[in-house]
Amino acid sequence: MSTDIVIGMHAADLPTPVLVVDAAVLRRNLADMAAHTTALGVALRPHWKTTKSAEVARLQLAAGAVGHTVATVAELTALARDVSPSVFLAYPPVGSFRVAAVIEASRTAEVIVGADSLDAVRELSDAATAAGIVIPIRLDIDSGLHRTGMAPEAAVAMARAIATDSGLRLEGVWTHEGHVQAAGADPDERRRRGVRAGETLVAAAEAIRADGHEVTTVSVGSTPGVRSAPTVRGVTEARPGTYANQVAIGTIAPEQVALSVHSRVISTQPAEWAIIDAGIKAMSSDGTMHGDGRIGTVVSAGGGVVSTGHEEHGFLRGADDPRVGDIVRIRPNHACGAVNMHRRIVVVEDDVVTGLWPVLARH
Ligand SMILES: Cc1ncc(COP(=O)(O)O)c(C=O)c1O
């Protein structure tokens, strides 16, 4: 048996732990999201921090995405070179390394930058002016997550300042309505939060327009909010990343998740747990979205959860009679963190390996 992964290998022979994407589910998710945003009449600009795969980025573009969203300049550089025509850096361009990356990437793609203060764009403005280019800017509006983002009332003042800046141009406004997820399993509250986020953003755009500035893009972004925030009249763009990260709160079915980590049981214990070879270096340790802190949920026969992990050891609890050597497939709690732990994604179709996709821009 080969010690490395080759095309045509059966999934049961894969070395573990390994990150696997089900190609058929992925294709369906890409098509569904493209159809959803098309039906709403908004542009689709997926967040690429989830997959970090050029192959997925190209499939998203083929399905109608206008470009991509990124969080890091490593992601920006990887996409702008020859993968995506338009990249939105939804992260303040603070620090010379970020500024240099934005200027460089602007040579090969449209690069739009998000920020919530003039301080955050000052160095970028100087560098753009020196390079003889103008960088499109989106104002980051806090619609309730309370992470970055300015109060909507502050947006007009920043728009005015950008209007007089030779290196920058106001392109739009954006928000990340991640607080929709925190509404948990209550669909009405999730919808209320999503709609409120969209309305807050549209109101900020209207205030800026009333002050005499052009606002082209009004961009909301999250998977839990994608069924509500972009339905608000005036929103022009949606930025889901995971496409399917809400099994725990019941908005999607387990079979809609394309990503899994395959592992093997390596030790059984007299107590109520077994040990698998996928720990936090295979899944990340982010258990925050569940409330109960689990880092993964078993999706193969036998069931159970990965309650916690050491680096190369996962604690499998609640499984039905686990035996050493059993293959256990796990849905990681946080897909983005899990992907960043691996150097490649193994593409599987009907239990056979059909592709190996490098994970790019891992820092
Ligand atoms: C700025 C921004 N936009 C979009 C997204 C995508 O959201 P989700 O992970 O829910 O798909 C994220 C995710 O954290 C984000 O930070």
Side-chain angles (χ1 to χ4, degrees):
M1 194 180 96
S2 171
T3 55
D4 200 9
I5 302 172
V6 291
I7 305 296
M9 195 178 219
H10 195 276
D13 295 329
L14 285 169
T16 52
V18 65
L19 188 71
V20 171
V21 69
D22 183 316
V25 179
L26 176 75
R27 276 198 303 272
R28 202 170 58 222
N29 288 349
L30 295 178
D32 285 354
M33 190 59 81
H36 170 64
T37 51
T38 300
L40 289 179
V42 299
L44 174 61
R45 186 184 284 275
H47 207 310
W48 194 62
K49 69 177 173 175
T50 306
T51 68
K52 291 179 178 267
S53 154
E55 288 80 0
V56 175
R58 291 194 176 101
L59 289 172
Q60 289 168 325
L61 291 168
V66 296
H68 290 89
T69 305
V70 297
T72 72
V73 289
E75 293 165 354
L76 169 64
T77 303
L79 280 185
R81 215 167 272 151
D82 62 356
V83 178
S84 190
S86 175
V87 187
F88 170 39
L89 175 64
Y91 204 90
V94 175
S96 307
F97 74 102
R98 289 197 175 93
V99 167
V102 169
I103 301 292
E104 180 60 30
S106 297
R107 296 184 208 286
T108 51
E110 177 189 42
V111 180
I112 306 161
V113 175
D116 63 4
S117 75
L118 286 170
D119 284 344
V121 291
R122 198 153 285 134
E123 193 177 342
L124 179 62
S125 163
D126 291 345
T129 305
I133 59 176
V134 177
I135 302 288
I137 299 290
R138 287 185 187 173
L139 306 189
D140 178 2
I141 307 294
D142 181 8
S143 62
L145 178 63
H146 307 319
R147 188 172 69 179
T148 61
M150 66 183 96
E153 313 79 71
V156 172
M158 184 156 168
R160 282 183 192 164
I162 288 179
T164 63
D165 192 310
S166 60
L168 309 176
R169 166 176 73 79
L170 182 68
E171 190 270 349
V173 292
W174 69 284
T175 193
H176 170 48
E177 67 285 2
H179 56 296
V180 174
Q181 171 91 10
D186 178 347
D188 294 335
E189 179 58 17
R190 279 202 309 272
R191 185 162 181 81
R192 264 195 299 276
R193 288 187 186 197
V195 167
R196 223 178 291 133
E199 287 172 349
T200 301
L201 193 63
V202 170
E206 288 306 328
I208 296 168
R209 287 181 184 127
D211 200 55
H213 313 278
E214 207 175 313
V215 179
T216 306
T217 302
V218 179
S219 174
V220 295
S222 76
T223 299
V226 78
R227 305 281 152 185
S228 51
T231 66
V232 174
R233 200 186 166 85
V235 170
T236 68
E237 181 183 278
R239 307 183 319 273
T242 57
Y243 282 39
N245 63 353
Q246 282 76 55
V247 176
I249 59 175
T251 51
I252 62 152
E255 9 358 307
Q256 286 175 270
V257 179
L259 196 75
S260 62
V261 170
H262 291 200
S263 69
R264 282 182 168 81
V265 176
I266 52 165
S267 173
T268 52
Q269 300 292 322
E272 70 277 14
W273 69 86
I275 299 295
I276 58 173
D277 62 6
I280 62 171
K281 281 186 176 169
M283 269 178 294
S284 97
S285 58
D286 187 355
T288 55
M289 286 187 206
H290 261 291
D292 65 3
R294 74 176 69 164
I295 60 174
T297 305
V298 176
V299 292
S300 49
V305 302
V306 185
S307 59
T308 184
H310 293 179
E311 289 176 62
E312 295 86 9
H313 299 77
F315 288 75
L316 172 63
R317 290 177 197 272
D320 180 21
D321 193 23
R323 301 287 173 93
V324 170
D326 283 357
I327 294 176
V328 177
R329 289 188 291 113
I330 303 150
R331 183 179 67 244
N333 185 51
H334 193 163
C336 314
V339 168
N340 201 52
M341 294 288 170
H342 295 259
R343 69 188 163 92
R344 61 192 168 181
I345 303 170
V346 179
V347 187
V348 167
E349 185 131 27
D350 294 330
D351 281 335
V352 174
V353 174
T354 58
L356 290 171
W357 292 347
V359 177
L360 306 175
R362 296 170 59 217
H363 293 292

